[in-house]
Amino acid sequence: MVTQCPPLIQSNLLSIKQKLKEEREAKRAQLDSRHDYVLSIVSSCVGLEKAEVEDAILEGTQIERMEQFFAVDGLSHLILYYQDTEPVDTAVSSSVSRGKKAKVFVTEGTDVAITGSCVFFTRANTSKPITSENIHRDVNFNMLDTTGVGLLKSVEQLLSEIFIPTLRKMNHSWGELASPQAQAVKQDFISSLDSFVSVLAGAQESLQEKVNLQECETFDLKTLKGPSDYTAVANSTEALEKIEACMKTWIKQIEKVLAESDQLRKEADDLGPRAELDHWKKRMSRFNYLLDQLKSPEVKAVLGVLIIAKSKLIKVWRELDIRITDAANEAKDNVKYLYSLEKFCDPLYNSNPVSMVEAIPGLINAIRMIHSISRYYNTSEKITSLFVKVTNQMITACKAYITNNGSVTIWDQPQEVVSEKLKAAIRLNQEYQKYFQKTKQKLEENPSERQFDFSEMYIFGKFDTFQRRMNKILNMFNTITTYNALQDSKIEGLETMATRFQAIVLTMKKKQYRFLDQRRTDFDQDYDEFCKQTSELHTQLKTFMDNTFDKIQNTERALYVLKKFERLGIPNLGISEKYQKILQNFGRDIEMISRIYTKQKTEPPIAPDLPPIAGKIMWARQLYNRIQEPMDLFQQLPGILNTPDAKPIIRNYNRVAKVLLEFEVLYHQSWMAQTEAVKLGLQASLLVKSPETGEMHVNFDPQILTQIRETDCMLGMGLEIPPFAAILQRKKDVFKKNYNKLQVQVQIHHLIWIRPRSTSLQETESLVDTSGLHCRRVQALVLLRSGYGLDPTDCGKPRYKQRD
């Protein structure tokens, strides 16, 4: 049967509806583009029509809160929820049953727990109002969807998937990023966010792992109000059995929790020290929550009944209670000390191996203090596990540092850069173990303090394995750098070996695994193959060098070629042995030069264009240079000349060099003495007459020309010349010119006065032409003297005919 409202009540309801409608329309008229911007974003985020969102916001005083967000010095944030809510109790809903309905509403964020979606708007500067022009620029918004995952998970996703990646890529608003301070600020802030995200994840896991004692299904515990009820149930065998059944169920639950906590922890082998803190935080949360349930009224009521009944389960319960309390205290105590360690562990997460070295002393000292004063965390197993996690995080940080957080490989960067990073990681391991040993020795000097009796192999073994991997990579880089010299070499015949080595390197670079993963044995096999092929190439190169030198007989050329091989910088080619062999060959060359000198010193071979003294000196110099130039090259290699085998060669060289130099000095001094004799030749008569034929001759001593040529050669060889020889050398052109002129005059005289008249005209003209007589008067005189006269019929060049 449906009950109808009286007419008066219906009239009042219609009046209220009309009034509410008028208020709604009045608020709607106040909306502008700012409200439209906010409502459009909300409708897009929650998947509703904008009109539906607008109708929901117009209820109550929600518009006023939006106005406060837009005003000067107003709210810095605006929060809207979209979730299930109960309708407000009004006269309108008095006849309607209560029910939940999803709707959009403005909230302060503290008055209602979030169970659905949240859209929030923020503004950084509240000193200026939000207008239609600046709302797109000054107002930021974001969204949390807690449906099905909860608030903690949604906040974790927002930070880890949106904010942290954005902040990592953002290079503005941090100050001068080039400065180390700005980089440190950015890294510290992002590291703090990462840590907070880890806390949220840990809290979420703790909530999921919490243990709830089962409700008592065998007895209604709400009927137990006080001691009298406890006694009544304790005296009832049937009721007591039901209570004990409930207690047994709880005991099984608690024993299972304790058994799980006592089990060996299964963890990933690369967890860092923060994982240790997260573990004990979750364990503390779990046992504290369990302790809170043991203090609940239901548990107290069951215990009251069992105590009065003197049940045997009380003893078991009390033992479990002690174990739970002790486990909770252990977790709480461990969390306290691990929290004190957290600031020392931060550099392991937010710095590189170079700066991480500075944090090692503080970190190890903090672990030492925990080992010394903590009540529960001082066991060898726990401290060893903590050290292992520190090692894990160091290795993780080193890999991130070398690969730029996984964005590049070791082949995508210059080898010099990667090598420096690898060396920094190796130094971190060395400093880590060095300070550990230093702390251990200091504790041994104080026997009253807890000692570092931990398995060093277990703590540092992984880092040592990682260091061996880095050493192999460094060796591989060094090999590549060394044999890359084959490409730049100008030695003919090395092109094939350079191409082969590039193929070996390219094969290594094409490997798809992670080279820094010390657990991958693939690299070790490929590295061994790389070393094997490189060794074969080295053997081939050494054979090529040996064959090259077998074809070279000249000591000086052998030294120059060997120098080219030495400039390759490739070790173990037998360069020193080759120098020793060349040195022995050089010793034989010295002996050969000595024999040549001994055989030819009296009559040395002289070049046709050289005067006798300079020719002999030049011959001695050539012999000297054949031993001096190789010796100059050997002197650039002092290690070669310091060997016992080199001493007799050096003595022999000095002996032969001394003899050759003395030969040069002797002949040079002899020549300088001879120059004085030339003066006598210049003092003689210029012309002399042959007593037999009566012919005139130019009296020019041939030694003067020889002396001039000697002087030119001596100057060319850089030797000293006497003053008179210098004068001769300066006036050599004058002497030669005057000598030639005199020769011409003598020839003219000979042709005019001595030549017989029987000479033919053609022969006479030929003699005139070859005599260098270019003057026509002289030519005419010679021909006339020979019995020839001018041809009067010739109008051009003078021609002659024999006179009658």
Side-chain angles (χ1 to χ4, degrees):
M1 179 177 179
V2 180
T3 305
Q4 295 183 349
C5 295
L8 181 59
I9 295 177
Q10 289 184 352
S11 176
N12 290 336
L13 291 176
L14 292 174
S15 176
I16 292 172
K17 286 184 178 181
Q18 183 63 30
K19 185 177 181 180
L20 291 175
K21 183 178 180 181
E22 291 174 358
E23 291 178 355
R24 183 187 297 272
E25 294 303 321
K27 293 177 183 178
R28 195 188 305 274
Q30 297 177 2
L31 301 180
D32 55 26
S33 58
R34 299 174 302 172
H35 302 83
D36 184 69
Y37 175 77
V38 172
L39 298 178
S40 298
I41 290 175
V42 174
S43 65
S44 177
C45 290
V46 301
L48 295 176
E49 294 293 334
K50 189 178 74 172
E52 188 176 354
V53 176
E54 182 178 309
D55 290 339
I57 296 302
L58 292 176
E59 294 181 1
T61 60
Q62 298 180 95
I63 292 296
E64 296 177 3
R65 188 166 182 83
M66 294 181 67
E67 294 294 339
Q68 294 175 10
F69 176 70
F70 297 146
V72 178
D73 297 327
L75 299 174
S76 60
H77 62 273
L78 177 66
I79 303 175
L80 295 93
Y81 286 176
Y82 175 62
Q83 61 187 33
D84 294 338
T85 182
E86 292 183 357
V88 181
D89 291 335
T90 61
V92 177
S93 61
S94 59
S95 61
V96 182
S97 61
R98 288 188 174 187
K100 290 186 177 182
K101 180 182 179 183
K103 62 181 297 187
V104 176
F105 59 92
V106 178
T107 176
E108 294 183 3
T110 58
D111 50 352
V112 180
I114 181 172
T115 59
S117 300
C118 168
V119 183
F120 56 94
F121 298 82
T122 59
R123 60 172 178 158
N125 186 7
T126 59
S127 62
K128 61 180 182 179
I130 299 299
T131 63
S132 301
E133 289 75 19
N134 65 15
I135 189 170
H136 301 83
R137 182 176 62 256
D138 295 345
V139 174
N140 300 312
F141 72 92
N142 219 305
M143 177 184 177
L144 286 174
D145 188 1
T146 66
T147 307
V149 296
L151 177 61
L152 291 178
K153 187 63 177 178
S154 60
V155 174
E156 176 196 346
Q157 291 175 340
L158 179 65
L159 293 175
S160 62
E161 298 176 7
I162 297 178
F163 283 113
I164 293 179
T166 303
L167 290 171
R168 289 190 190 279
K169 296 179 181 179
M170 189 172 69
N171 291 325
H172 60 277
S173 302
W174 297 101
E176 293 293 334
L177 273 179
S179 66
Q181 294 82 3
Q183 287 285 3
V185 169
K186 176 181 178 180
Q187 190 61 43
D188 288 345
F189 181 72
I190 294 177
S191 178
S192 299
L193 282 180
D194 283 330
S195 179
F196 180 63
V197 168
S198 298
V199 170
L200 292 176
Q204 185 77 5
E205 291 177 7
S206 297
L207 291 175
Q208 294 173 354
E209 294 177 3
K210 67 181 181 180
V211 178
N212 291 306
L213 296 179
Q214 293 184 8
E215 294 184 4
C216 187
E217 299 177 352
T218 56
F219 193 89
D220 187 4
L221 299 179
K222 295 179 180 179
T223 59
L224 301 175
K225 304 295 184 183
S228 59
D229 296 331
Y230 301 164
T231 303
V233 173
N235 293 330
S236 172
T237 303
E238 183 180 356
L240 182 60
E241 288 179 355
K242 294 179 180 180
I243 292 294
E244 286 182 340
C246 182
M247 175 59 75
K248 289 178 181 178
T249 301
W250 292 345
I251 288 174
K252 286 182 180 180
Q253 279 189 274
I254 295 173
E255 286 177 342
K256 182 180 179 181
V257 172
L258 291 172
E260 290 175 352
S261 65
D262 291 338
Q263 289 179 354
L264 188 64
R265 288 162 56 184
K266 294 181 180 180
E267 299 176 321
D269 61 354
D270 58 350
L271 290 180
R274 282 180 179 171
E276 189 72 5
L277 176 59
D278 293 340
H279 166 77
W280 288 106
K281 281 164 57 178
K282 287 188 288 186
R283 186 163 177 171
M284 181 181 70
S285 174
R286 189 178 192 186
F287 281 109
N288 284 343
Y289 185 77
L290 188 56
L291 282 176
D292 289 341
Q293 291 185 78
L294 298 186
K295 298 174 184 178
S296 65
E298 292 81 3
V299 174
K300 288 181 178 180
V302 172
L303 287 176
V305 172
L306 296 179
I307 289 173
I308 293 174
K310 297 181 180 181
S311 173
K312 294 180 180 180
L313 296 177
I314 293 298
K315 181 180 179 181
V316 178
W317 179 263
R318 285 176 177 171
E319 291 176 354
L320 292 177
D321 189 20
I322 293 172
R323 290 176 62 187
I324 292 172
T325 304
D326 191 56
N329 290 337
E330 178 189 13
K332 183 178 179 181
D333 190 72
N334 292 347
V335 167
K336 179 181 69 175
Y337 285 109
L338 289 173
Y339 261 127
S340 67
L341 182 68
E342 189 174 25
K343 65 178 181 179
F344 297 102
C345 293
D346 286 343
L348 304 181
Y349 290 88
N350 55 23
S351 64
N352 58 49
V354 178
S355 56
M356 203 180 294
V357 172
E358 301 175 0
I360 291 176
L363 176 62
I364 293 182
N365 285 332
I367 297 176
R368 170 189 172 184
M369 293 302 297
I370 293 175
H371 183 51
S372 299
I373 64 177
S374 65
R375 180 181 175 186
Y376 297 96
Y377 208 81
N378 56 12
T379 64
S380 177
E381 293 78 9
K382 289 185 173 64
I383 298 297
T384 300
S385 177
L386 181 60
F387 267 120
V388 169
K389 289 181 172 61
V390 169
T391 301
N392 290 341
Q393 185 55 36
M394 284 184 176
I395 295 174
T396 300
C398 289
K399 291 179 179 179
Y401 174 64
I402 296 169
T403 62
N404 294 345
N405 293 319
S407 61
V408 293
T409 67
I410 61 173
W411 303 112
D412 298 331
Q413 308 171 70
Q415 285 189 11
E416 299 80 8
V417 175
V418 180
S419 296
E420 290 301 319
K421 291 180 178 181
L422 293 172
K423 292 174 183 177
I426 292 173
R427 180 172 177 267
L428 175 65
N429 183 32
Q430 294 171 347
E431 292 296 323
Y432 179 33
Q433 298 194 36
K434 177 182 175 182
Y435 201 84
F436 179 91
Q437 294 297 334
K438 184 178 179 180
T439 305
K440 182 179 180 180
Q441 293 175 4
K442 189 180 294 184
L443 290 173
E444 290 174 352
E445 296 172 0
N446 186 10
S448 61
E449 195 170 351
R450 288 182 178 271
Q451 302 296 306
F452 268 19
D453 296 327
F454 312 126
S455 172
E456 296 179 22
M457 182 63 191
Y458 191 57
I459 294 174
F460 304 116
K462 190 181 298 184
F463 213 155
D464 288 338
T465 303
F466 182 58
Q467 179 173 328
R468 286 193 291 272
R469 172 61 55 85
M470 291 188 290
N471 282 329
K472 287 184 177 180
I473 294 175
L474 281 174
N475 291 336
M476 187 168 60
F477 281 175
N478 292 335
T479 301
I480 293 173
T481 302
T482 298
Y483 286 92
N484 274 342
L486 295 175
Q487 274 191 310
D488 304 325
S489 175
K490 303 300 182 182
I491 301 175
E492 186 177 355
L494 291 185
E495 302 84 0
T496 304
M497 281 176 274
T499 303
R500 179 185 174 188
F501 180 70
Q502 292 303 316
I504 295 173
V505 175
L506 185 61
T507 301
M508 198 70 181
K509 288 182 177 180
K510 287 183 177 180
K511 302 299 180 182
Q512 298 299 317
Y513 50 73
R514 290 179 295 178
F515 284 79
L516 294 175
D517 188 355
Q518 72 276 7
R519 296 167 298 185
R520 292 292 300 265
T521 59
D522 299 359
F523 171 82
D524 298 313
Q525 298 172 1
D526 293 332
Y527 175 77
D528 291 341
E529 181 63 24
F530 174 84
C531 294
K532 177 184 175 183
Q533 294 181 357
T534 306
S535 177
E536 293 174 353
L537 179 68
H538 185 88
T539 303
Q540 181 183 356
L541 177 60
K542 192 173 181 181
T543 303
F544 172 79
M545 188 181 74
D546 293 340
N547 294 335
T548 301
F549 276 92
D550 289 341
K551 299 174 183 177
I552 301 176
Q553 301 299 325
N554 183 273
T555 299
E556 187 176 353
R557 173 166 172 73
L559 285 172
Y560 279 117
V561 174
L562 186 59
K563 199 69 178 175
K564 288 184 178 180
F565 279 99
E566 189 177 18
R567 279 196 291 267
L568 292 176
I570 299 176
N572 302 322
L573 283 179
I575 300 292
S576 298
E577 292 79 1
K578 284 289 183 295
Y579 276 121
Q580 291 294 340
K581 185 176 180 180
I582 295 175
L583 182 62
Q584 297 302 321
N585 292 337
F586 177 59
R588 289 190 287 272
D589 290 344
I590 295 174
E591 294 175 358
M592 181 188 67
I593 295 297
S594 178
R595 289 194 297 270
I596 292 174
Y597 171 78
T598 303
K599 181 179 180 180
Q600 300 179 354
K601 64 181 179 180
T602 55
E603 293 293 335
I606 300 175
D609 60 335
L610 291 178
I613 304 300
K616 292 178 180 180
I617 293 176
M618 185 65 72
W619 169 78
R621 280 201 171 187
Q622 289 174 348
L623 294 180
Y624 178 78
N625 288 336
R626 288 174 65 178
I627 62 173
Q628 178 59 36
E629 291 178 0
M631 180 55 74
D632 290 339
L633 295 176
F634 280 121
Q635 286 178 339
Q636 299 175 13
L637 308 163
I640 302 298
L641 297 180
N642 291 336
T643 60
D645 295 338
K647 292 182 179 180
I649 296 175
I650 294 174
R651 285 195 298 268
N652 197 20
Y653 161 80
N654 291 333
R655 181 183 61 81
V656 175
K658 180 182 178 182
V659 169
L660 292 172
L661 290 174
E662 287 177 348
F663 181 90
E664 176 181 328
V665 170
L666 179 64
Y667 275 92
H668 178 250
Q669 291 176 347
S670 175
W671 170 77
M672 291 184 67
Q674 291 176 5
T675 55
E676 295 298 325
V678 178
K679 292 181 180 180
L680 299 175
L682 292 175
Q683 295 174 0
S685 299
L686 295 178
L687 296 173
V688 294
K689 188 174 183 181
S690 173
E692 292 83 8
T693 62
E695 293 183 6
M696 300 292 294
H697 295 280
V698 179
N699 189 22
F700 189 74
D701 190 354
Q703 288 297 321
I704 296 175
L705 294 178
T706 302
Q707 197 70 16
I708 291 174
R709 176 62 178 147
E710 294 276 11
T711 303
D712 289 339
C713 292
M714 295 297 177
L715 287 173
M717 290 186 290
L719 295 176
E720 180 186 0
I721 61 175
F724 182 71
I727 294 173
L728 286 178
Q729 201 272 341
R730 286 197 301 271
K731 293 184 176 182
K732 64 180 180 179
D733 293 335
V734 175
F735 291 146
K736 290 180 180 180
K737 182 178 180 181
N738 292 336
Y739 172 73
N740 291 331
K741 285 183 177 181
L742 285 174
Q743 284 285 76
V744 170
Q745 295 299 326
V746 170
Q747 288 181 7
I748 293 173
H749 178 269
H750 178 74
L751 290 172
I752 294 175
W753 302 109
I754 306 301
R755 190 81 178 173
R757 291 175 54 90
S758 60
T759 306
S760 66
L761 176 63
Q762 183 179 2
E763 184 180 0
T764 302
E765 288 181 341
S766 175
L767 289 172
V768 171
D769 291 338
T770 58
S771 66
L773 300 177
H774 301 296
C775 178
R776 287 189 178 184
R777 288 180 60 196
V778 175
Q779 293 177 359
L781 181 61
V782 171
L783 292 171
L784 287 173
R785 177 75 179 122
S786 301
Y788 296 96
L790 291 173
D791 185 358
T793 63
D794 183 39
C795 299
K797 176 181 176 182
R799 298 190 59 79
Y800 300 88
K801 67 178 182 178
Q802 191 167 12
R803 293 181 300 173
D804 295 335

